Amino acid sequence: MPDPFSDDVPMRSGGLLAQMPPGDNAPPLSVSEISGQLKRMVEDRFSHVRIRGEISGFKRAASGHCYLALKDDKAVIDGIIWKGTAQRLPFRPEDGLDVIATGKLTTFPGRSKYQITIESLELAGEGALMQLFEKLKARLASEGLFDSERKRALPFLPRTIGVVTSPTGSVIRDILHRLADRFPSHVLVWPVLVQGEGAAGQVAAAVRGFGAMPEDERPDLLIVARGGGSIEDLWAFNEEPVVRAIAESVIPVISAVGHETDTTLADFAADRRAPTPTAAAEMAVPVRSELLAGVAELGLRASRAVNRSHSLARERLEARAQRLPRLADLLSPQQQRADDLGERLRAALGLQLAHARGTLARTSGALRPAVLDTRVAHARDRLARLTLDPAVLDRIIRRAGERLAGLERVLAQLDPDAPLQRGYARVTAGDGRTLIDKAVAAREPRLTLHFRDGALDVAPADGPPPPPASPTPAAKAKPRPAEPRQASFL
């Protein structure tokens, strides 16, 4: 038996029999084995790391996963963000951003390279945030989202006001309190997160949700509000989905994010910017008491204007009435003209009656019996001349008979039962259809064979079972006498 520790014993590695060199008792590893050991070692040693670097080569695959590289002035490391993590990022990664990536290191054996699987991503400092802010602002401005032509006037007195904000903060209480002081209105609150992961998506969905409501239930004005905070706290209102949702809203929007010194991209996209949420409520509705006072003042002015116009109109009417002529002076010429026309009408009716009597006398003379008899005789002569010659009628009848005989011969040739006289049979289904295919006939439960001396009901051998026969007795066909068969010429 060979010594297992001898140098002459062959070893198996990767499916091939290999001979170890003299003095080497370590078995060789396959590429997959060494790659797996490296992967486990790297993941165990660097299971949680934070790396700061500049994003380079960022791209989003069709699957939703994101691939990028983090670099500084001396080194580069590849990174991957899985689809679920990429959807929860608080901002959109772009090339050139200075970020801090948190995750774990792993290896990609297919290319013998190591990479970081990113679990969270944050911007490295306020300077980077402002750079991202300015870059996104310039890009959206180039698309025309901030143009003044897009701004719409706010409704003077909205019936319903929609508010997109946190339901638990002081912002909604300030807005409701200010609206109640100025002009009590119907308010619809869409509760959202205003900070952290998912806040931008909720705010954008709320703005679009208000716009998608039925027109009779839709608010007349929207207020997107949040209290003050740092640039990181307000960053959700700088996200592109929120800015686009506000710019595309079918409802006028007031942006009231932060304090007076805070500025977000939502302020540029909105139709009106309010320095504070309380100021947004003041912009939304007028002061009810001021409106009532203004309406009362306008009512007094309208009453005075109407009374003054009424007095002037009465004076003008009285002055013009004094210059009007008397009624008798106006009607006397017309009465005289009416009398004259009445006399002329009486005379004209007499002349017209005499003319009508003369016309009737002349017309009645043409209707005498002698004149009518003459016209009847003349019509009879014309009818006699139009009578056809009997010879012509005979030719027409003979031609029609020949044509009818030809049609009878064609009809006899097309008769489907004519071949039955020569020994053929015709197959029909239960509903009377003539069958010419075996496959169609096999699917029928019953068939009828038509011979020259009668019909015979049969069932196909390969077909479905026939339905039960009707209990009514069928009349037996009378047997026909056997006819002589046609002689064969073969």
Side-chain angles (χ1 to χ4, degrees), residues 122-163:
E122 56 187 288
L123 293 169
E126 184 174 346
L129 286 176
M130 291 307 300
Q131 292 178 8
L132 180 60
F133 177 88
E134 295 297 334
K135 186 176 181 180
L136 183 58
K137 177 183 176 182
R139 182 164 62 86
L140 297 179
S142 64
E143 298 181 16
L145 267 64
F146 305 152
D147 292 347
S148 58
E149 292 78 7
R150 298 172 58 93
K151 310 299 182 181
R152 293 162 295 184
L154 302 181
F156 175 71
L157 191 60
R159 295 172 300 175
T160 304
I161 300 174
V163 180

Side-chain angles (χ1 to χ4, degrees), residues 340-358:
D340 183 39
L341 291 175
E343 294 296 331
R344 293 174 59 185
L345 178 60
R346 189 179 295 107
L349 288 176
L351 294 175
Q352 186 68 20
L353 180 60
H355 178 70
R357 287 175 177 173

Side-chain angles (χ1 to χ4, degrees), residues 83-121:
K83 178 181 179 181
T85 305
Q87 293 176 346
R88 297 192 299 269
L89 292 179
F91 63 95
R92 180 179 179 181
E94 295 181 359
D95 289 353
L97 292 182
D98 188 15
V99 297
I100 298 176
T102 304
K104 66 178 180 178
L105 290 184
T106 184
T107 63
F108 181 50
R111 294 189 180 179
S112 299
K113 59 192 301 186
Y114 67 93
Q115 61 187 13
I116 178 174
T117 301
I118 300 175
E119 298 175 356
S120 65
L121 200 64

